[in-house]
């Protein structure tokens, strides 16, 4: 029996945790043993779960990162214990996901991987791997990561991972480059073409890679006849309905731009999922604040009720909410940020230059004039071709097979 070991910050929670869970289920269906090692929290899983470290160790690692800009360099004892457990598990494939998040020491882990003689697959969900500090740099227009990170602007803007006093981006960049290029049998999996392009310009350019999009459940996220129910609940009958969804709303997720759009387009109803009570109070009267929900069924109904999905995000990799929207037949208006362009293909909506609120407003009007049905079929077809979870997770199993068979 082959054994798959995945390592991620969380297990069966959030987008990356659910991706690891689904991959594990596909492995189990193929007769593999599936183990997921996680660092922060977990929901019930079909895979065997292995906790890395303790809450106290996570807190200590977080403080080390906050005070000394040493993200990924704490958790020494937790990582040492993990390596001993890996040696006992004896996996055939080690699949990494997000290894940032204050729970693992990447130098120790990669020192082990460099001589463990176990193939490594690493799905990259953001840019942290190739920078000296940040997970996203689109919003600050930085390209230092292509040569040598230093004097990090992301630290000054207090972006994740926060560092209060120290800028160690230059040293971190060199340490990451040495560690992440040390594994002889590793395949990188960027989740969108944009991220693949970033890797091609980074110190990881010579590492084998294969793009595999994130997939969603197209049976759950499918067009539904839910508008009448939404209108009855929120009094939106006869009004054009724009929807926005985020687990956390910040300036960089587009909160300020969303407020401006709602103020300018007062005849349109805006439904916004995920606002805090304080944020909701600052929104104009045409904004309907909806509570965040983990229910995929409820989200699919809300996506289907909307005339357009709006995503004014300044940084993202491959936003799942945009994929879920087009799967429900709802066109998307988005900033042309990273993988958003992979989702909003021809006929699926409109992308505009990041930060251009006026162009964003015109794009919403363009969809309004054309009507949702002018986009619905193209949206669903694009989702079926590229974001079917069964096909995408099968891609991972095929990748494992090709690696093990030396294809």
């Amino acid at each position: 029996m082959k054994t798959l070991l995945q390592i991620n910050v969380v297990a069966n929670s959030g987008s990356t945790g659910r991706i690891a869970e689904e991959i594990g289920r596909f492995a189990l269906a193929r007769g593999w043993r599936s183990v997921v090692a996680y660092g922060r929290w977990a929901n019930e899983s079909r895979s065997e779960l292995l906790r890395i470290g303790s809450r106290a160790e996570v807190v200590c690692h977080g403080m080390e990162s906050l005070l000394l800009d040493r993200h990924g360099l704490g958790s020494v004892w937790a990582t040492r214990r993990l390596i001993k457990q890996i040696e006992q598990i004896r996996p055939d494939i080690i699949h990494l996901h997000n290894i940032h998040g204050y729970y693992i020491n990447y130098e120790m882990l990669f020192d082990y991987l460099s001589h463990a003689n176990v193939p490594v697959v690493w799905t990259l969900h953001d840019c942290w791997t190739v920078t000296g500090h940040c997970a996203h740099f689109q919003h600050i227009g930085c390209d230092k990561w292509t040569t040598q990170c230093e004097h990090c602007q992301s630290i000054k803007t207090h972006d994740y991972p926060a560092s209060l006093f120290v800028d160690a981006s230059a040293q971190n960049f060199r340490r990451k480059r040495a560690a992440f290029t040390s594994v002889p049998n590793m395949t990188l999996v960027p989740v969108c073409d944009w991220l693949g392009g970033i890797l091609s310009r980074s110190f990881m350019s010579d590492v084998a890679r294969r793009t595999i999009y994130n997939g969603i459940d197209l049976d759950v996220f499918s067009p539904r006849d839910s508008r009448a129910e939404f209108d009855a609940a929120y009094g939106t009958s006869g009004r054009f309905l724009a929807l926005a969804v985020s687990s956390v709303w910040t300036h960089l997720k587009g909160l300020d731009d969303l407020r401006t759009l709602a103020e300018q387009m007062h005849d349109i109803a805006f439904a916004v999922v995920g606002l805090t009570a304080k944020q909701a109070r600052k929104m104009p009267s045409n904004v309907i604040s909806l509570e965040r929900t983990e229910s995929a069924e409820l989200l699919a109904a809300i996506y289907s009720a909307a005339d357009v999905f709006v995503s004014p995000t300044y940084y993202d990799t491959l936003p799942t909410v945009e994929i879920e929207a087009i799967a429900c037949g709802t066109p998307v208006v988005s900033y042309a940020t990273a993988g958003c362009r992979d989702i909003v293909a021809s006929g699926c909506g409109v992308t505009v230059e990041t930060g251009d609120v006026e162009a964003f407003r015109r794009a919403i009007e363009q969809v309004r004039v054309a009507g949702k049905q002018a986009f619905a079929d193209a949206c669903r077809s694009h989702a079926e071709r590229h974001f079917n979870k069964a096909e995408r997770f099968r891609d991972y199993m095929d990748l494992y097979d090709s690696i093990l068979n030396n294809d």
Side-chain angles (χ1 to χ4, degrees), residues 315-337:
Y315 69 71
D316 249 308
T317 305
L318 192 74
T320 302
V321 290
E322 294 186 16
I323 299 173
E324 292 169 347
I326 66 167
C328 294
T330 301
V332 172
V333 173
S334 173
Y335 285 146
T337 303

Side-chain angles (χ1 to χ4, degrees), residues 128-390:
W128 179 84
T129 302
V130 298
T131 75
H133 179 84
C134 66
H136 295 281
F137 45 70
Q138 307 99 300
H139 59 294
I140 56 176
C142 178
D143 63 358
K144 293 177 182 177
W145 54 272
T146 61
T147 52
Q148 170 64 61
C149 285
E150 59 184 357
H151 307 303
C152 181
Q153 185 178 344
S154 179
I155 292 177
K156 297 176 182 177
T157 55
H158 306 293
D159 295 338
Y160 168 87
S163 178
L164 294 180
F165 308 112
V166 177
D167 179 353
S169 57
Q171 301 95 304
N172 290 339
F173 184 86
R174 289 191 290 268
R175 297 175 83 153
K176 285 184 180 181
R177 180 173 56 196
F180 298 158
T181 57
S182 67
V183 180
N185 188 0
M186 183 166 70
T187 302
L188 303 176
V189 180
V191 296
C192 64
D193 294 334
W194 174 83
L195 188 52
I198 294 298
L199 292 174
S200 71
R201 300 171 57 203
S202 76
F203 58 70
M204 304 285 275
S205 61
D206 292 333
V207 181
R209 65 179 179 272
R210 177 182 174 185
T211 299
I212 300 178
Y213 289 136
N214 294 337
I216 63 170
D217 189 334
L218 294 180
D219 291 331
V220 173
F221 292 100
S222 59
R224 302 172 182 220
D225 187 14
S226 55
R227 180 58 189 264
E229 184 178 355
F230 190 95
D231 286 342
Y234 298 103
T236 52
S237 180
R239 302 178 70 187
F240 187 82
L241 178 62
L243 171 67
V245 177
S246 182
S247 57
V248 177
W249 281 102
T250 65
H251 166 70
L252 293 176
K253 281 293 184 179
L255 177 62
D256 296 339
D257 292 359
L258 189 62
R259 183 187 301 111
T260 298
L261 289 164
E263 290 170 346
Q264 293 177 347
M265 309 182 80
H266 49 81
D267 58 330
I268 288 178
F270 284 80
V272 184
V273 176
L275 292 172
T276 66
K278 181 178 179 180
Q279 289 170 336
R281 288 193 295 269
K282 294 181 179 180
M283 286 291 180
S285 59
N286 57 330
V287 171
I288 302 163
S289 178
L290 304 178
E291 289 186 4
R292 181 189 176 195
T293 177
E294 293 285 349
S295 169
E297 294 285 343
L298 178 57
L299 279 172
I302 297 171
Y303 286 126
S304 297
D307 293 296
V308 65
F309 184 85
V310 295
S311 182
T313 178
Y314 281 74
Y315 69 71
D316 249 308
T317 305
L318 192 74
T320 302
V321 290
E322 294 186 16
I323 299 173
E324 292 169 347
I326 66 167
C328 294
T330 301
V332 172
V333 173
S334 173
Y335 285 146
T337 303
C340 298
R341 287 167 288 193
D342 293 8
I343 301 169
V344 190
S346 177
C348 295
V350 185
T351 60
V352 301
E353 182 179 350
T354 302
D356 191 338
V357 179
E358 176 56 26
F360 203 105
R361 185 194 64 78
R362 293 196 302 268
I364 295 175
E365 288 290 0
Q366 180 181 335
V367 173
R368 185 183 189 184
V369 170
K372 177 179 179 177
Q373 291 309 309
F375 301 89
D377 289 344
C379 287
R380 180 65 186 181
S381 295
H382 188 60
E384 290 173 346
R385 284 196 305 272
H386 297 287
F387 305 112
N388 183 334
K389 76 170 186 177

